[in-house]
Amino acid sequence: MAGILDTVDQRTQLVGENRLEILMFRLAGRQLFAINVFKVQEVLQLPKLTLMPQRHAFVCGVVNLRGQTLPVIDLSQAIGMRPLQPGPDSTIIVTEYNRSVQAFLVGGVDRIVNMNWEAIMPPPTSAGRQHYLTAITKVDDKLVEVIDVEKVLAEIVPYNARVSGDKLADPVLARARGREVLLVDDSSVALAQLRDTLSQLGVKLHVASDGLKALRLLKGWADAGEDVCKKLLMVFTDAEMPEMDGYRLTTEIRGDARLRQLYVVLHTSLSGSFNESMVKKVGCDNFLSKFQPDRLVDVVKQRLLLDAASA
């Protein structure tokens, strides 16, 4: 099973091309679901499962994988569907999100499909599982629902948006008050974390749910005669989003003379080692893994110091 995954070198060829690969799978029914291959480490048969006392209702137990203990999460139950029954023939998808590794119990893996982000659309408001979806698409005329894994994980281990008191006491951060910041993300959980953290700095927030909406907003300001690079202190963008991803958004920003000096931070749950190389490729100014409030404030401070140095 693990052999279906591509190498990181092959995946990087998609960056900046507004393309992605999705791993499709089923849960407790015929419906197809998917997650981005970038977040998948391997797919394998369920190893020996150890039950843990007082575990979360969505956690089946833990497995030992090459010396690493990983929680196994019933993804079907976590998104409100019928629970799966783990057994020796069960399949798990091992993923990395926000610097943590976990395994998801699934009903069976279908295949990997290479797609354009333009074919990935936000879920309709009528979608029954919209609460746990970031997007939908179609493959061979079959509906595929892309799961908001960040939301699933946040319900198991709630995120912390509180900034340390010593960080907030830094006088440099006082310069952030009243400044404007653009947040670009399709995950309601990630946007809530950004809002909760940045609101402690007194900044004014603008929000876009995907890269295309963000680009239209930026160009609209520029077309109206605003100096966008002075208007915005910085842009935080997710990597994977419907219609236009964060890598392509950054490429488009750098290609517009009115926008290219914007300070762009890639704010993502994808693995750090992969993204550090991608930041250089597409021209981001910084990289930040999600759900690190103190580190997020450090990045804002770095930007403020650069702003003061160039004044």
Side-chain angles (χ1 to χ4, degrees), residues 22-25 31-35 113 115 120-121 133 135-147:
I22 57 172
L23 173 63
M24 300 193 304
F25 54 89
Q31 174 61 45
L32 283 168
F33 297 91
I35 58 175
V113 178
M115 303 187 72
I120 310 294
M121 306 300 295
L133 302 181
I136 59 171
T137 189
K138 279 195 172 183
V139 176
D140 298 335
D141 292 325
K142 294 180 181 178
L143 180 69
V144 180
E145 300 182 345
V146 183
I147 294 178

mmCIF file with all atom_site columns, all heavy atoms in Angstrom, residues 22-25 31-35 113 115 120-121 133 135-147:
data_model
loop_
_atom_site.group_PDB
_atom_site.id
_atom_site.type_symbol
_atom_site.label_atom_id
_atom_site.label_alt_id
_atom_site.label_comp_id
_atom_site.label_asym_id
_atom_site.label_entity_id
_atom_site.label_seq_id
_atom_site.pdbx_PDB_ins_code
_atom_site.Cartn_x
_atom_site.Cartn_y
_atom_site.Cartn_z
_atom_site.occupancy
_atom_site.B_iso_or_equiv
_atom_site.pdbx_formal_charge
_atom_site.auth_seq_id
_atom_site.auth_comp_id
_atom_site.auth_asym_id
_atom_site.auth_atom_id
_atom_site.pdbx_PDB_model_num
ATOM 1   N N   . ILE A 1 22  ? -4.645  14.078 -4.712  1.00 0.00 ? 22  ILE A N   1
ATOM 2   C CA  . ILE A 1 22  ? -5.497  13.674 -3.601  1.00 0.00 ? 22  ILE A CA  1
ATOM 3   C C   . ILE A 1 22  ? -5.498  12.155 -3.482  1.00 0.00 ? 22  ILE A C   1
ATOM 4   O O   . ILE A 1 22  ? -5.460  11.442 -4.491  1.00 0.00 ? 22  ILE A O   1
ATOM 5   C CB  . ILE A 1 22  ? -6.946  14.191 -3.752  1.00 0.00 ? 22  ILE A CB  1
ATOM 6   C CG1 . ILE A 1 22  ? -7.581  13.730 -5.070  1.00 0.00 ? 22  ILE A CG1 1
ATOM 7   C CG2 . ILE A 1 22  ? -6.987  15.706 -3.626  1.00 0.00 ? 22  ILE A CG2 1
ATOM 8   C CD1 . ILE A 1 22  ? -9.064  14.050 -5.189  1.00 0.00 ? 22  ILE A CD1 1
ATOM 9   N N   . LEU A 1 23  ? -5.512  11.693 -2.250  1.00 0.00 ? 23  LEU A N   1
ATOM 10  C CA  . LEU A 1 23  ? -5.667  10.271 -1.967  1.00 0.00 ? 23  LEU A CA  1
ATOM 11  C C   . LEU A 1 23  ? -7.144  10.032 -1.662  1.00 0.00 ? 23  LEU A C   1
ATOM 12  O O   . LEU A 1 23  ? -7.683  10.586 -0.699  1.00 0.00 ? 23  LEU A O   1
ATOM 13  C CB  . LEU A 1 23  ? -4.801  9.862  -0.769  1.00 0.00 ? 23  LEU A CB  1
ATOM 14  C CG  . LEU A 1 23  ? -4.999  8.434  -0.256  1.00 0.00 ? 23  LEU A CG  1
ATOM 15  C CD1 . LEU A 1 23  ? -4.622  7.407  -1.324  1.00 0.00 ? 23  LEU A CD1 1
ATOM 16  C CD2 . LEU A 1 23  ? -4.182  8.205  1.010   1.00 0.00 ? 23  LEU A CD2 1
ATOM 17  N N   . MET A 1 24  ? -7.792  9.211  -2.478  1.00 0.00 ? 24  MET A N   1
ATOM 18  C CA  . MET A 1 24  ? -9.220  8.948  -2.302  1.00 0.00 ? 24  MET A CA  1
ATOM 19  C C   . MET A 1 24  ? -9.422  7.661  -1.515  1.00 0.00 ? 24  MET A C   1
ATOM 20  O O   . MET A 1 24  ? -8.675  6.690  -1.679  1.00 0.00 ? 24  MET A O   1
ATOM 21  C CB  . MET A 1 24  ? -9.917  8.857  -3.658  1.00 0.00 ? 24  MET A CB  1
ATOM 22  C CG  . MET A 1 24  ? -9.811  10.127 -4.481  1.00 0.00 ? 24  MET A CG  1
ATOM 23  S SD  . MET A 1 24  ? -10.935 10.152 -5.913  1.00 0.00 ? 24  MET A SD  1
ATOM 24  C CE  . MET A 1 24  ? -10.470 8.663  -6.762  1.00 0.00 ? 24  MET A CE  1
ATOM 25  N N   . PHE A 1 25  ? -10.461 7.650  -0.676  1.00 0.00 ? 25  PHE A N   1
ATOM 26  C CA  . PHE A 1 25  ? -10.743 6.492  0.157   1.00 0.00 ? 25  PHE A CA  1
ATOM 27  C C   . PHE A 1 25  ? -12.220 6.482  0.523   1.00 0.00 ? 25  PHE A C   1
ATOM 28  O O   . PHE A 1 25  ? -12.940 7.469  0.322   1.00 0.00 ? 25  PHE A O   1
ATOM 29  C CB  . PHE A 1 25  ? -9.879  6.519  1.428   1.00 0.00 ? 25  PHE A CB  1
ATOM 30  C CG  . PHE A 1 25  ? -9.983  7.797  2.216   1.00 0.00 ? 25  PHE A CG  1
ATOM 31  C CD1 . PHE A 1 25  ? -10.944 7.962  3.202   1.00 0.00 ? 25  PHE A CD1 1
ATOM 32  C CD2 . PHE A 1 25  ? -9.115  8.860  1.960   1.00 0.00 ? 25  PHE A CD2 1
ATOM 33  C CE1 . PHE A 1 25  ? -11.052 9.146  3.916   1.00 0.00 ? 25  PHE A CE1 1
ATOM 34  C CE2 . PHE A 1 25  ? -9.215  10.052 2.671   1.00 0.00 ? 25  PHE A CE2 1
ATOM 35  C CZ  . PHE A 1 25  ? -10.188 10.196 3.649   1.00 0.00 ? 25  PHE A CZ  1
ATOM 36  N N   . GLN A 1 31  ? -19.590 6.434  -0.408  1.00 0.00 ? 31  GLN A N   1
ATOM 37  C CA  . GLN A 1 31  ? -19.124 7.796  -0.701  1.00 0.00 ? 31  GLN A CA  1
ATOM 38  C C   . GLN A 1 31  ? -17.592 7.859  -0.697  1.00 0.00 ? 31  GLN A C   1
ATOM 39  O O   . GLN A 1 31  ? -16.938 7.306  0.174   1.00 0.00 ? 31  GLN A O   1
ATOM 40  C CB  . GLN A 1 31  ? -19.683 8.773  0.329   1.00 0.00 ? 31  GLN A CB  1
ATOM 41  C CG  . GLN A 1 31  ? -19.144 10.193 0.212   1.00 0.00 ? 31  GLN A CG  1
ATOM 42  C CD  . GLN A 1 31  ? -19.464 10.836 -1.123  1.00 0.00 ? 31  GLN A CD  1
ATOM 43  O OE1 . GLN A 1 31  ? -20.585 10.751 -1.602  1.00 0.00 ? 31  GLN A OE1 1
ATOM 44  N NE2 . GLN A 1 31  ? -18.482 11.473 -1.738  1.00 0.00 ? 31  GLN A NE2 1
ATOM 45  N N   . LEU A 1 32  ? -17.024 8.568  -1.678  1.00 0.00 ? 32  LEU A N   1
ATOM 46  C CA  . LEU A 1 32  ? -15.581 8.769  -1.754  1.00 0.00 ? 32  LEU A CA  1
ATOM 47  C C   . LEU A 1 32  ? -15.178 10.031 -1.005  1.00 0.00 ? 32  LEU A C   1
ATOM 48  O O   . LEU A 1 32  ? -15.822 11.072 -1.122  1.00 0.00 ? 32  LEU A O   1
ATOM 49  C CB  . LEU A 1 32  ? -15.135 8.877  -3.214  1.00 0.00 ? 32  LEU A CB  1
ATOM 50  C CG  . LEU A 1 32  ? -15.049 7.569  -4.001  1.00 0.00 ? 32  LEU A CG  1
ATOM 51  C CD1 . LEU A 1 32  ? -14.895 7.860  -5.485  1.00 0.00 ? 32  LEU A CD1 1
ATOM 52  C CD2 . LEU A 1 32  ? -13.888 6.709  -3.494  1.00 0.00 ? 32  LEU A CD2 1
ATOM 53  N N   . PHE A 1 33  ? -14.106 9.933  -0.228  1.00 0.00 ? 33  PHE A N   1
ATOM 54  C CA  . PHE A 1 33  ? -13.527 11.061 0.480   1.00 0.00 ? 33  PHE A CA  1
ATOM 55  C C   . PHE A 1 33  ? -12.072 11.211 0.038   1.00 0.00 ? 33  PHE A C   1
ATOM 56  O O   . PHE A 1 33  ? -11.524 10.336 -0.639  1.00 0.00 ? 33  PHE A O   1
ATOM 57  C CB  . PHE A 1 33  ? -13.597 10.835 1.989   1.00 0.00 ? 33  PHE A CB  1
ATOM 58  C CG  . PHE A 1 33  ? -14.996 10.743 2.533   1.00 0.00 ? 33  PHE A CG  1
ATOM 59  C CD1 . PHE A 1 33  ? -15.638 9.515  2.635   1.00 0.00 ? 33  PHE A CD1 1
ATOM 60  C CD2 . PHE A 1 33  ? -15.681 11.881 2.926   1.00 0.00 ? 33  PHE A CD2 1
ATOM 61  C CE1 . PHE A 1 33  ? -16.932 9.428  3.122   1.00 0.00 ? 33  PHE A CE1 1
ATOM 62  C CE2 . PHE A 1 33  ? -16.972 11.806 3.417   1.00 0.00 ? 33  PHE A CE2 1
ATOM 63  C CZ  . PHE A 1 33  ? -17.605 10.577 3.512   1.00 0.00 ? 33  PHE A CZ  1
ATOM 64  N N   . ALA A 1 34  ? -11.455 12.327 0.430   1.00 0.00 ? 34  ALA A N   1
ATOM 65  C CA  . ALA A 1 34  ? -10.066 12.534 0.017   1.00 0.00 ? 34  ALA A CA  1
ATOM 66  C C   . ALA A 1 34  ? -9.341  13.463 0.978   1.00 0.00 ? 34  ALA A C   1
ATOM 67  O O   . ALA A 1 34  ? -9.966  14.265 1.686   1.00 0.00 ? 34  ALA A O   1
ATOM 68  C CB  . ALA A 1 34  ? -10.012 13.121 -1.396  1.00 0.00 ? 34  ALA A CB  1
ATOM 69  N N   . ILE A 1 35  ? -8.023  13.336 0.986   1.00 0.00 ? 35  ILE A N   1
ATOM 70  C CA  . ILE A 1 35  ? -7.125  14.306 1.618   1.00 0.00 ? 35  ILE A CA  1
ATOM 71  C C   . ILE A 1 35  ? -5.944  14.521 0.677   1.00 0.00 ? 35  ILE A C   1
ATOM 72  O O   . ILE A 1 35  ? -5.688  13.710 -0.229  1.00 0.00 ? 35  ILE A O   1
ATOM 73  C CB  . ILE A 1 35  ? -6.623  13.850 3.016   1.00 0.00 ? 35  ILE A CB  1
ATOM 74  C CG1 . ILE A 1 35  ? -5.899  12.506 2.922   1.00 0.00 ? 35  ILE A CG1 1
ATOM 75  C CG2 . ILE A 1 35  ? -7.759  13.786 4.012   1.00 0.00 ? 35  ILE A CG2 1
ATOM 76  C CD1 . ILE A 1 35  ? -5.276  12.068 4.253   1.00 0.00 ? 35  ILE A CD1 1
ATOM 77  N N   . VAL A 1 113 ? -5.139  10.690 -7.342  1.00 0.00 ? 113 VAL A N   1
ATOM 78  C CA  . VAL A 1 113 ? -5.483  11.396 -8.574  1.00 0.00 ? 113 VAL A CA  1
ATOM 79  C C   . VAL A 1 113 ? -4.792  12.754 -8.579  1.00 0.00 ? 113 VAL A C   1
ATOM 80  O O   . VAL A 1 113 ? -4.802  13.474 -7.581  1.00 0.00 ? 113 VAL A O   1
ATOM 81  C CB  . VAL A 1 113 ? -7.013  11.595 -8.690  1.00 0.00 ? 113 VAL A CB  1
ATOM 82  C CG1 . VAL A 1 113 ? -7.361  12.381 -9.942  1.00 0.00 ? 113 VAL A CG1 1
ATOM 83  C CG2 . VAL A 1 113 ? -7.729  10.248 -8.711  1.00 0.00 ? 113 VAL A CG2 1
ATOM 84  N N   . MET A 1 115 ? -4.763  16.495 -9.829  1.00 0.00 ? 115 MET A N   1
ATOM 85  C CA  . MET A 1 115 ? -5.819  17.419 -10.249 1.00 0.00 ? 115 MET A CA  1
ATOM 86  C C   . MET A 1 115 ? -5.329  18.862 -10.247 1.00 0.00 ? 115 MET A C   1
ATOM 87  O O   . MET A 1 115 ? -4.284  19.169 -9.665  1.00 0.00 ? 115 MET A O   1
ATOM 88  C CB  . MET A 1 115 ? -7.028  17.314 -9.308  1.00 0.00 ? 115 MET A CB  1
ATOM 89  C CG  . MET A 1 115 ? -7.628  15.937 -9.176  1.00 0.00 ? 115 MET A CG  1
ATOM 90  S SD  . MET A 1 115 ? -9.161  15.966 -8.219  1.00 0.00 ? 115 MET A SD  1
ATOM 91  C CE  . MET A 1 115 ? -10.262 16.760 -9.392  1.00 0.00 ? 115 MET A CE  1
ATOM 92  N N   . ILE A 1 120 ? -11.260 21.914 -7.710  1.00 0.00 ? 120 ILE A N   1
ATOM 93  C CA  . ILE A 1 120 ? -11.625 21.701 -6.307  1.00 0.00 ? 120 ILE A CA  1
ATOM 94  C C   . ILE A 1 120 ? -12.476 22.887 -5.868  1.00 0.00 ? 120 ILE A C   1
ATOM 95  O O   . ILE A 1 120 ? -12.011 24.018 -5.860  1.00 0.00 ? 120 ILE A O   1
ATOM 96  C CB  . ILE A 1 120 ? -10.372 21.587 -5.418  1.00 0.00 ? 120 ILE A CB  1
ATOM 97  C CG1 . ILE A 1 120 ? -9.377  20.573 -6.007  1.00 0.00 ? 120 ILE A CG1 1
ATOM 98  C CG2 . ILE A 1 120 ? -10.766 21.206 -3.999  1.00 0.00 ? 120 ILE A CG2 1
ATOM 99  C CD1 . ILE A 1 120 ? -9.857  19.150 -6.010  1.00 0.00 ? 120 ILE A CD1 1
ATOM 100 N N   . MET A 1 121 ? -13.717 22.621 -5.484  1.00 0.00 ? 121 MET A N   1
ATOM 101 C CA  . MET A 1 121 ? -14.657 23.693 -5.198  1.00 0.00 ? 121 MET A CA  1
ATOM 102 C C   . MET A 1 121 ? -15.074 23.688 -3.726  1.00 0.00 ? 121 MET A C   1
ATOM 103 O O   . MET A 1 121 ? -15.088 22.635 -3.086  1.00 0.00 ? 121 MET A O   1
ATOM 104 C CB  . MET A 1 121 ? -15.907 23.557 -6.070  1.00 0.00 ? 121 MET A CB  1
ATOM 105 C CG  . MET A 1 121 ? -15.614 23.477 -7.560  1.00 0.00 ? 121 MET A CG  1
ATOM 106 S SD  . MET A 1 121 ? -14.740 24.947 -8.178  1.00 0.00 ? 121 MET A SD  1
ATOM 107 C CE  . MET A 1 121 ? -16.007 26.187 -7.921  1.00 0.00 ? 121 MET A CE  1
ATOM 108 N N   . LEU A 1 133 ? -16.142 19.390 5.902   1.00 0.00 ? 133 LEU A N   1
ATOM 109 C CA  . LEU A 1 133 ? -15.578 19.432 4.562   1.00 0.00 ? 133 LEU A CA  1
ATOM 110 C C   . LEU A 1 133 ? -14.928 20.785 4.297   1.00 0.00 ? 133 LEU A C   1
ATOM 111 O O   . LEU A 1 133 ? -15.441 21.815 4.727   1.00 0.00 ? 133 LEU A O   1
ATOM 112 C CB  . LEU A 1 133 ? -16.658 19.189 3.501   1.00 0.00 ? 133 LEU A CB  1
ATOM 113 C CG  . LEU A 1 133 ? -17.457 17.886 3.573   1.00 0.00 ? 133 LEU A CG  1
ATOM 114 C CD1 . LEU A 1 133 ? -18.444 17.831 2.415   1.00 0.00 ? 133 LEU A CD1 1
ATOM 115 C CD2 . LEU A 1 133 ? -16.543 16.677 3.571   1.00 0.00 ? 133 LEU A CD2 1
ATOM 116 N N   . ALA A 1 135 ? -13.829 21.097 0.906   1.00 0.00 ? 135 ALA A N   1
ATOM 117 C CA  . ALA A 1 135 ? -14.018 21.201 -0.532  1.00 0.00 ? 135 ALA A CA  1
ATOM 118 C C   . ALA A 1 135 ? -14.704 19.953 -1.065  1.00 0.00 ? 135 ALA A C   1
ATOM 119 O O   . ALA A 1 135 ? -14.825 18.944 -0.374  1.00 0.00 ? 135 ALA A O   1
ATOM 120 C CB  . ALA A 1 135 ? -12.666 21.391 -1.225  1.00 0.00 ? 135 ALA A CB  1
ATOM 121 N N   . ILE A 1 136 ? -15.134 20.053 -2.337  1.00 0.00 ? 136 ILE A N   1
ATOM 122 C CA  . ILE A 1 136 ? -15.660 18.898 -3.058  1.00 0.00 ? 136 ILE A CA  1
ATOM 123 C C   . ILE A 1 136 ? -15.077 18.930 -4.467  1.00 0.00 ? 136 ILE A C   1
ATOM 124 O O   . ILE A 1 136 ? -14.632 19.968 -4.962  1.00 0.00 ? 136 ILE A O   1
ATOM 125 C CB  . ILE A 1 136 ? -17.205 18.896 -3.142  1.00 0.00 ? 136 ILE A CB  1
ATOM 126 C CG1 . ILE A 1 136 ? -17.706 20.172 -3.840  1.00 0.00 ? 136 ILE A CG1 1
ATOM 127 C CG2 . ILE A 1 136 ? -17.824 18.760 -1.764  1.00 0.00 ? 136 ILE A CG2 1
ATOM 128 C CD1 . ILE A 1 136 ? -19.188 20.153 -4.165  1.00 0.00 ? 136 ILE A CD1 1
ATOM 129 N N   . THR A 1 137 ? -15.090 17.777 -5.127  1.00 0.00 ? 137 THR A N   1
ATOM 130 C CA  . THR A 1 137 ? -14.671 17.712 -6.522  1.00 0.00 ? 137 THR A CA  1
ATOM 131 C C   . THR A 1 137 ? -15.354 16.510 -7.150  1.00 0.00 ? 137 THR A C   1
ATOM 132 O O   . THR A 1 137 ? -16.104 15.786 -6.481  1.00 0.00 ? 137 THR A O   1
ATOM 133 C CB  . THR A 1 137 ? -13.143 17.611 -6.655  1.00 0.00 ? 137 THR A CB  1
ATOM 134 O OG1 . THR A 1 137 ? -12.783 17.764 -8.037  1.00 0.00 ? 137 THR A OG1 1
ATOM 135 C CG2 . THR A 1 137 ? -12.615 16.283 -6.126  1.00 0.00 ? 137 THR A CG2 1
ATOM 136 N N   . LYS A 1 138 ? -15.092 16.282 -8.429  1.00 0.00 ? 138 LYS A N   1
ATOM 137 C CA  . LYS A 1 138 ? -15.615 15.097 -9.100  1.00 0.00 ? 138 LYS A CA  1
ATOM 138 C C   . LYS A 1 138 ? -14.479 14.378 -9.811  1.00 0.00 ? 138 LYS A C   1
ATOM 139 O O   . LYS A 1 138 ? -13.623 15.007 -10.433 1.00 0.00 ? 138 LYS A O   1
ATOM 140 C CB  . LYS A 1 138 ? -16.711 15.474 -10.109 1.00 0.00 ? 138 LYS A CB  1
ATOM 141 C CG  . LYS A 1 138 ? -18.078 15.703 -9.474  1.00 0.00 ? 138 LYS A CG  1
ATOM 142 C CD  . LYS A 1 138 ? -19.179 15.719 -10.512 1.00 0.00 ? 138 LYS A CD  1
ATOM 143 C CE  . LYS A 1 138 ? -20.546 15.756 -9.827  1.00 0.00 ? 138 LYS A CE  1
ATOM 144 N NZ  . LYS A 1 138 ? -21.652 15.704 -10.821 1.00 0.00 ? 138 LYS A NZ  1
ATOM 145 N N   . VAL A 1 139 ? -14.485 13.056 -9.672  1.00 0.00 ? 139 VAL A N   1
ATOM 146 C CA  . VAL A 1 139 ? -13.522 12.200 -10.368 1.00 0.00 ? 139 VAL A CA  1
ATOM 147 C C   . VAL A 1 139 ? -14.323 11.112 -11.061 1.00 0.00 ? 139 VAL A C   1
ATOM 148 O O   . VAL A 1 139 ? -15.080 10.381 -10.404 1.00 0.00 ? 139 VAL A O   1
ATOM 149 C CB  . VAL A 1 139 ? -12.516 11.578 -9.389  1.00 0.00 ? 139 VAL A CB  1
ATOM 150 C CG1 . VAL A 1 139 ? -11.582 10.615 -10.129 1.00 0.00 ? 139 VAL A CG1 1
ATOM 151 C CG2 . VAL A 1 139 ? -11.700 12.658 -8.687  1.00 0.00 ? 139 VAL A CG2 1
ATOM 152 N N   . ASP A 1 140 ? -14.193 11.022 -12.375 1.00 0.00 ? 140 ASP A N   1
ATOM 153 C CA  . ASP A 1 140 ? -14.977 10.052 -13.167 1.00 0.00 ? 140 ASP A CA  1
ATOM 154 C C   . ASP A 1 140 ? -16.474 10.197 -12.883 1.00 0.00 ? 140 ASP A C   1
ATOM 155 O O   . ASP A 1 140 ? -17.191 9.199  -12.702 1.00 0.00 ? 140 ASP A O   1
ATOM 156 C CB  . ASP A 1 140 ? -14.516 8.625  -12.872 1.00 0.00 ? 140 ASP A CB  1
ATOM 157 C CG  . ASP A 1 140 ? -13.057 8.381  -13.259 1.00 0.00 ? 140 ASP A CG  1
ATOM 158 O OD1 . ASP A 1 140 ? -12.564 9.101  -14.142 1.00 0.00 ? 140 ASP A OD1 1
ATOM 159 O OD2 . ASP A 1 140 ? -12.432 7.496  -12.651 1.00 0.00 ? 140 ASP A OD2 1
ATOM 160 N N   . ASP A 1 141 ? -16.910 11.448 -12.790 1.00 0.00 ? 141 ASP A N   1
ATOM 161 C CA  . ASP A 1 141 ? -18.324 11.775 -12.542 1.00 0.00 ? 141 ASP A CA  1
ATOM 162 C C   . ASP A 1 141 ? -18.824 11.347 -11.169 1.00 0.00 ? 141 ASP A C   1
ATOM 163 O O   . ASP A 1 141 ? -20.032 11.332 -10.920 1.00 0.00 ? 141 ASP A O   1
ATOM 164 C CB  . ASP A 1 141 ? -19.225 11.161 -13.619 1.00 0.00 ? 141 ASP A CB  1
ATOM 165 C CG  . ASP A 1 141 ? -19.013 11.816 -14.980 1.00 0.00 ? 141 ASP A CG  1
ATOM 166 O OD1 . ASP A 1 141 ? -18.756 13.042 -15.001 1.00 0.00 ? 141 ASP A OD1 1
ATOM 167 O OD2 . ASP A 1 141 ? -19.090 11.118 -15.992 1.00 0.00 ? 141 ASP A OD2 1
ATOM 168 N N   . LYS A 1 142 ? -17.917 11.006 -10.267 1.00 0.00 ? 142 LYS A N   1
ATOM 169 C CA  . LYS A 1 142 ? -18.298 10.654 -8.898  1.00 0.00 ? 142 LYS A CA  1
ATOM 170 C C   . LYS A 1 142 ? -17.897 11.777 -7.952  1.00 0.00 ? 142 LYS A C   1
ATOM 171 O O   . LYS A 1 142 ? -16.787 12.308 -8.039  1.00 0.00 ? 142 LYS A O   1
ATOM 172 C CB  . LYS A 1 142 ? -17.621 9.348  -8.466  1.00 0.00 ? 142 LYS A CB  1
ATOM 173 C CG  . LYS A 1 142 ? -18.087 8.130  -9.244  1.00 0.00 ? 142 LYS A CG  1
ATOM 174 C CD  . LYS A 1 142 ? -17.379 6.870  -8.756  1.00 0.00 ? 142 LYS A CD  1
ATOM 175 C CE  . LYS A 1 142 ? -17.836 5.648  -9.554  1.00 0.00 ? 142 LYS A CE  1
ATOM 176 N NZ  . LYS A 1 142 ? -17.121 4.426  -9.116  1.00 0.00 ? 142 LYS A NZ  1
ATOM 177 N N   . LEU A 1 143 ? -18.803 12.137 -7.052  1.00 0.00 ? 143 LEU A N   1
ATOM 178 C CA  . LEU A 1 143 ? -18.535 13.192 -6.086  1.00 0.00 ? 143 LEU A CA  1
ATOM 179 C C   . LEU A 1 143 ? -17.485 12.727 -5.083  1.00 0.00 ? 143 LEU A C   1
ATOM 180 O O   . LEU A 1 143 ? -17.565 11.619 -4.542  1.00 0.00 ? 143 LEU A O   1
ATOM 181 C CB  . LEU A 1 143 ? -19.815 13.567 -5.351  1.00 0.00 ? 143 LEU A CB  1
ATOM 182 C CG  . LEU A 1 143 ? -19.691 14.678 -4.300  1.00 0.00 ? 143 LEU A CG  1
ATOM 183 C CD1 . LEU A 1 143 ? -19.415 16.019 -4.966  1.00 0.00 ? 143 LEU A CD1 1
ATOM 184 C CD2 . LEU A 1 143 ? -20.962 14.754 -3.459  1.00 0.00 ? 143 LEU A CD2 1
ATOM 185 N N   . VAL A 1 144 ? -16.490 13.576 -4.835  1.00 0.00 ? 144 VAL A N   1
ATOM 186 C CA  . VAL A 1 144 ? -15.454 13.298 -3.845  1.00 0.00 ? 144 VAL A CA  1
ATOM 187 C C   . VAL A 1 144 ? -15.454 14.441 -2.828  1.00 0.00 ? 144 VAL A C   1
ATOM 188 O O   . VAL A 1 144 ? -15.387 15.611 -3.207  1.00 0.00 ? 144 VAL A O   1
ATOM 189 C CB  . VAL A 1 144 ? -14.059 13.179 -4.498  1.00 0.00 ? 144 VAL A CB  1
ATOM 190 C CG1 . VAL A 1 144 ? -12.994 12.887 -3.438  1.00 0.00 ? 144 VAL A CG1 1
ATOM 191 C CG2 . VAL A 1 144 ? -14.063 12.085 -5.568  1.00 0.00 ? 144 VAL A CG2 1
ATOM 192 N N   . GLU A 1 145 ? -15.555 14.111 -1.558  1.00 0.00 ? 145 GLU A N   1
ATOM 193 C CA  . GLU A 1 145 ? -15.608 15.108 -0.492  1.00 0.00 ? 145 GLU A CA  1
ATOM 194 C C   . GLU A 1 145 ? -14.245 15.187 0.205   1.00 0.00 ? 145 GLU A C   1
ATOM 195 O O   . GLU A 1 145 ? -13.723 14.173 0.680   1.00 0.00 ? 145 GLU A O   1
ATOM 196 C CB  . GLU A 1 145 ? -16.707 14.747 0.509   1.00 0.00 ? 145 GLU A CB  1
ATOM 197 C CG  . GLU A 1 145 ? -18.094 14.686 -0.128  1.00 0.00 ? 145 GLU A CG  1
ATOM 198 C CD  . GLU A 1 145 ? -19.196 14.379 0.873   1.00 0.00 ? 145 GLU A CD  1
ATOM 199 O OE1 . GLU A 1 145 ? -18.876 13.935 2.003   1.00 0.00 ? 145 GLU A OE1 1
ATOM 200 O OE2 . GLU A 1 145 ? -20.384 14.571 0.539   1.00 0.00 ? 145 GLU A OE2 1
ATOM 201 N N   . VAL A 1 146 ? -13.675 16.393 0.251   1.00 0.00 ? 146 VAL A N   1
ATOM 202 C CA  . VAL A 1 146 ? -12.371 16.609 0.869   1.00 0.00 ? 146 VAL A CA  1
ATOM 203 C C   . VAL A 1 146 ? -12.577 16.989 2.336   1.00 0.00 ? 146 VAL A C   1
ATOM 204 O O   . VAL A 1 146 ? -13.230 17.991 2.638   1.00 0.00 ? 146 VAL A O   1
ATOM 205 C CB  . VAL A 1 146 ? -11.577 17.703 0.130   1.00 0.00 ? 146 VAL A CB  1
ATOM 206 C CG1 . VAL A 1 146 ? -10.190 17.864 0.753   1.00 0.00 ? 146 VAL A CG1 1
ATOM 207 C CG2 . VAL A 1 146 ? -11.461 17.353 -1.360  1.00 0.00 ? 146 VAL A CG2 1
ATOM 208 N N   . ILE A 1 147 ? -12.024 16.207 3.223   1.00 0.00 ? 147 ILE A N   1
ATOM 209 C CA  . ILE A 1 147 ? -12.293 16.348 4.654   1.00 0.00 ? 147 ILE A CA  1
ATOM 210 C C   . ILE A 1 147 ? -11.417 17.430 5.288   1.00 0.00 ? 147 ILE A C   1
ATOM 211 O O   . ILE A 1 147 ? -10.228 17.550 4.980   1.00 0.00 ? 147 ILE A O   1
ATOM 212 C CB  . ILE A 1 147 ? -12.073 14.999 5.366   1.00 0.00 ? 147 ILE A CB  1
ATOM 213 C CG1 . ILE A 1 147 ? -13.122 13.986 4.890   1.00 0.00 ? 147 ILE A CG1 1
ATOM 214 C CG2 . ILE A 1 147 ? -12.147 15.149 6.883   1.00 0.00 ? 147 ILE A CG2 1
ATOM 215 C CD1 . ILE A 1 147 ? -12.970 12.609 5.489   1.00 0.00 ? 147 ILE A CD1 1
#
